Amino acid sequence: MRTFELIAPCHFGLEAVLKKEIIDLGYEISQVEDGRVTFTGDAEAVCRANIGLRTAERILIRIGSFRAVTFDELFEETKKLPWEEWIPADGRFWVTKATSIKSRLFSPSDIQSLVKKAIVERMKSVYHVSWFEESGAAYPIRVSLMKDMVTVSLDTSGESLHKRGYRKLTSKAPISETLAAALILLTPWRKDRIFVDPFCGCGTFPIEAALMAAGIAPGMNRSFTAEQWKNLIPAREWYDALDEAREAIDLSVETDIQGYDADGEIVRAARENAKLAGVDHLIHFQQRDVAALSHPKKYGFLVTNPPYGERIEDRKNLPALYRTLGERLALLDSWSAYIITAYEDAEACIGRKADKNRKIYNGMMKTYFYQFLGPKPPRRRQPD
């Protein structure tokens, strides 16, 4: 079967998490760069990666890479690529996005139009037509330039993989599903441990934790652009990947996953999202202010995305909010806490320096993932 070079973009700073996920799926990593991991795989890998990867933003097939510092070079090098091996004569194709970082060619709109023109010229000469009807399957193309190196790829995913299909209702500043999953995977939390999010918003952290606990693949309830690519990926590969994902599900798993929010309307939205994800029975949502944060058991995990104060009028409330969070954490003295925030005085207000701190970009916003590590629980005695 034909082998592809697959590119999986991810949030900057979380490449190692995605790399481990890809290795766990059974594929060989060829390169790790800022914000993306490249690996090799066949048609089956395209299906399994789209359905199963929790931290990738999308799955791209690399068509080619080359250096270009002028628009003439960009046109000619794009035209040299064997587009007819990828896009059929009736294929509907367009350059859905172009990005340029530290490169001499920097206008995304010009790059998009020129690459499209080059592909049309190539395919005209191969298919011996002067006009393309573009009535068939969609083949979105992405172009990225980094230090004058151009990478041209086909987007197999379509909508970003963070769109799992369960989040119909959102709060003011929701964390993306892929970022939430990656942050959970950065912690040592396992499905038999307590998980609490005291600022749960629309429920993304608890829902992603519950999906992991039940072994539910994140892409099971959505479609992908490449499902229509009969020339590249046989339909049976999608069916087989879905069957494999279904076999891994365990809805009988016992969990202690909780989500709190002070806003009752938001809590209702979180419950509805959890129901759409098929994990509402695994999560306890409750309207509760952070000042009432408590839990009777030891060695739990708090993973949360508290308010950052994106709006100026909200910032005045942040010191008191983070001080309250710190006071409640002090009472949960055997717990570990993992907090992502852009609030620069978070540690000072919480009243404790984080044991670990990781810089992560949430979109274009620089945030920090503060990790306050609690003691390890005693080993469970093995039965005689």
Side-chain angles (χ1 to χ4, degrees), residues 131-149:
W131 180 75
F132 290 96
E133 194 173 305
E134 297 197 45
S135 58
Y139 292 80
I141 295 153
R142 290 190 165 240
V143 183
S144 68
L145 282 78
M146 171 62 82
K147 296 180 180 176
D148 298 324
M149 283 300 299

Side-chain angles (χ1 to χ4, degrees), residues 79 120-129 132:
K79 190 178 170 184
V120 168
E121 289 303 309
R122 167 78 186 202
M123 290 177 64
K124 273 185 184 177
S125 66
V126 173
Y127 289 121
H128 307 292
V129 295
F132 290 96

